[in-house]
Amino acid sequence: MTFIRTNDNLPRPEIFASSAGASILSPVVKRPIQGLGRDGQPLDMPGYVGTYTVRDGQPVPLGVVSEKYEVVQMRDLTSAAERIMQDAFTPEQLSQIEVRDRSAAGGAWVQRQYVVKAFEEALVYGNQTSATLNVGTTVAATCSITTSFDGGSSTQLGIGTLDLVCQNGMTALNAVDHFRKKHTKSATTEVFEEWLQDLGPRFKEQVATMKEWSDAGLTWTQIEETVRALPSISEKKAERLLERAARECSDRGFNVYALSSAFTFYSSHNSEEFPIRNTGNDNVATTLSDRQDEVSRWVRSQPFQELLAA
């Protein structure tokens, strides 16, 4: 489930007020739980607790976790990110932020992405500016915060870019662009605040990389050999990625950025080309998140790095 909000040019410090009441920010608590024995009688479950939130005044179960599991409140994480952005950005930059919320598994998995449209850069494909092409004109900075309350994933922060035309998102070009922390006692908001301070510089580094990629020419043979050599890729997925890469190259030219756009299309869209199987558990958002991790591994893999060095 995805919700997109703009901030309606609210004045500082109320710039994020329009998304402050989002359901993904609801408090989550741990409570003792009981099971049922074969005779139907309640049984204690030592070492385990349930996680719950509240909707419409009623408790909603989210998952069962270890009693040592530390809940990191999504509201605390987003509040920390927004404080940092309010201190670091001008009112004009803040007015161009868009908030995108996603949830899955009945609210047990939540994500907020900030699209900072004031931080945007045009890319150049070879000797042509992107303005002369149909798609891919501009990338903007993004900051994503993800956590879960059922033990399914760690708390994660990522700095990335978003193609404002085709809505392809790239995250974690290298290890420092992605930060994750398990749900233990050390997973405090302060740990994440230090990392968020570098939002602006990290984006600039990613844009510099994107510009290098958009200017690095490729042949179709290089693209095909690289895709087929990606780690843990099936033949079927490789064929579909190559079909997408051909479309991207027709719009952007034969360059590394076009190939990476085929990757990010796969990780950003539930499409006919790359459909997500409906499991009945609201799994689109979590599947796309897993695909983003997969693309990050591809970008850091030996075949892709050898392509960059060629």
Side-chain angles (χ1 to χ4, degrees), residues 157-159 172-179 195 198 202 205 300:
L157 285 80
I159 303 300
L173 295 183
N174 52 64
V176 298
D177 290 332
H178 192 80
F179 181 88
W195 190 86
D198 291 333
R202 292 182 194 278
E205 291 176 7
R300 296 195 294 269

Side-chain angles (χ1 to χ4, degrees), residues 24-258:
I24 70 163
L25 304 182
S26 298
V28 174
V29 298
K30 297 188 298 184
R31 293 289 184 267
I33 58 175
Q34 287 185 319
L36 288 177
R38 293 181 179 179
D39 57 359
Q41 296 300 309
L43 292 175
D44 291 334
M45 296 184 64
Y48 294 93
V49 295
T51 54
Y52 298 84
T53 188
V54 175
R55 296 189 195 124
D56 299 323
Q58 298 297 318
V60 178
L62 299 177
V64 176
V65 296
S66 163
E67 62 183 2
K68 296 180 179 180
Y69 183 93
E70 292 292 329
V71 172
V72 180
Q73 300 292 344
M74 189 64 166
R75 181 176 296 278
D76 292 341
L77 291 170
T78 59
S79 295
E82 291 166 9
R83 284 198 309 271
I84 292 169
M85 285 187 273
Q86 287 174 4
D87 290 340
F89 299 164
T90 67
E92 182 180 359
Q93 290 171 332
L94 289 170
S95 71
Q96 298 179 58
I97 290 177
E98 186 176 272
V99 174
R100 302 185 174 195
D101 289 343
R102 289 179 174 177
S103 65
W109 182 96
V110 293
Q111 181 184 77
R112 170 163 289 184
Q113 181 185 68
Y114 300 94
V115 181
V116 190
K117 293 185 176 181
F119 290 176
E120 59 182 40
E121 294 281 350
L123 298 180
V124 176
Y125 303 134
N127 295 321
Q128 290 183 309
T129 64
S130 57
T132 65
L133 300 176
N134 293 327
V135 297
T137 56
T138 309
V139 293
T142 63
C143 173
S144 297
I145 302 173
T146 306
T147 195
S148 70
F149 306 108
D150 61 355
S153 67
S154 56
T155 299
Q156 304 173 42
L157 285 80
I159 303 300
T161 59
L162 178 72
D163 191 311
L164 294 178
V165 175
C166 65
Q167 298 297 298
N168 289 354
M170 171 66 83
T171 60
L173 295 183
N174 52 64
V176 298
D177 290 332
H178 192 80
F179 181 88
R180 65 178 68 210
K181 195 75 174 176
K182 294 181 179 180
H183 291 265
T184 61
K185 287 185 178 181
S186 62
T188 62
T189 305
E190 288 72 21
V191 173
F192 297 102
E193 284 194 41
E194 294 180 10
W195 190 86
L196 282 166
Q197 294 284 355
D198 291 333
L199 173 64
R202 292 182 194 278
F203 171 67
K204 291 180 181 179
E205 291 176 7
Q206 281 214 0
V207 168
T209 299
M210 295 291 188
K211 287 184 175 180
E212 291 177 3
W213 288 4
S214 64
D215 197 41
L218 294 176
T219 65
W220 181 252
T221 298
Q222 288 177 301
I223 292 174
E224 187 171 16
E225 290 177 349
T226 300
V227 169
R228 296 192 185 282
L230 293 173
S232 303
I233 191 168
S234 66
E235 182 65 25
K236 183 178 180 180
K237 186 181 293 185
E239 290 296 335
R240 290 183 175 180
L241 278 174
L242 288 170
E243 290 175 4
R244 187 68 213 179
R247 296 185 184 184
E248 297 290 348
C249 288
S250 69
D251 290 325
R252 310 173 192 273
F254 284 77
N255 54 68
V256 175
Y257 184 75

